[in-house]
Amino acid sequence: MPIEGDDELRDILELDTVAVVGCSSTPGKDAHEIPKYLRDHGYEVIPVNPFADEIFGREAADSLADVDEEIDIVDVFRPSEEVPEIVDAALERDDVDTVWMQLGIRDDDAAKRAEDAGKRVVQDRCMKVEYGRLMG
């Protein structure tokens, strides 16, 4: 079951490094403003976007496989139909603790695969909202 309890969410929000798949270079878009908020609140944000060269003054990775740093959380800002592929990429990494799907994004089958592989999963929740509610 995807994580919904406040204690478990708080535990996830205490992690440090977030790879944001679908991070946008366009100010005003949620996929830009929410990662910016996370950066401003102490998270190491790694933008993952094959169509951007740089976001937040940092080189954007083309894929999760191209990220050299260790990743704690994969934060998904892509349509639900792309989640299975993103989960596959997350499962290829030993370092990913949690797959977090933003508001409106969910895939129960992919979530179960991630959980069966030992990953924590959050679906259809905003990291910014949960951070403000639980950590702010």
Side-chain angles (χ1 to χ4, degrees):
M1 292 288 301
I3 291 172
E4 296 191 5
D6 286 352
D7 289 341
E8 290 176 291
L9 288 169
R10 195 176 287 109
D11 187 47
I12 291 168
L13 291 168
E14 290 176 353
L15 298 172
D16 298 317
T17 306
V18 183
V20 181
V21 178
C23 192
S24 176
S25 59
T26 307
K29 284 188 157 189
D30 287 344
H32 179 87
E33 297 303 323
I34 292 167
K36 181 179 182 303
Y37 174 91
L38 295 174
R39 282 189 49 168
D40 292 346
H41 286 81
Y43 289 93
E44 178 72 24
V45 172
I46 302 167
V48 179
N49 182 332
F51 303 107
D53 293 327
E54 186 179 286
I55 302 172
F56 309 126
R58 179 182 182 137
E59 183 178 349
D62 287 342
S63 68
L64 288 174
D66 293 324
V67 175
D68 293 330
E69 297 96 333
E70 290 202 7
I71 299 170
D72 296 319
I73 302 169
V74 172
D75 188 17
V76 181
F77 272 97
R78 299 296 304 148
S80 295
E81 55 269 14
E82 293 183 29
V83 167
E85 180 181 318
I86 295 165
V87 165
D88 288 343
L91 294 180
E92 290 178 16
R93 300 183 63 104
D94 293 330
D95 53 349
V96 174
D97 175 274
T98 302
V99 176
W100 187 301
M101 298 171 228
Q102 285 293 136
L103 276 176
I105 303 169
R106 69 179 307 122
D107 184 303
D108 293 336
D109 292 335
K112 179 155 180 14
R113 280 191 302 110
E115 289 172 329
D116 289 347
K119 310 297 183 191
R120 296 188 282 186
V121 176
V122 178
Q123 294 193 104
D124 194 20
R125 287 182 181 255
C126 176
M127 275 189 80
K128 175 183 176 181
V129 169
E130 298 303 324
Y131 182 91
R133 185 174 72 84
L134 297 169
M135 311 292 278

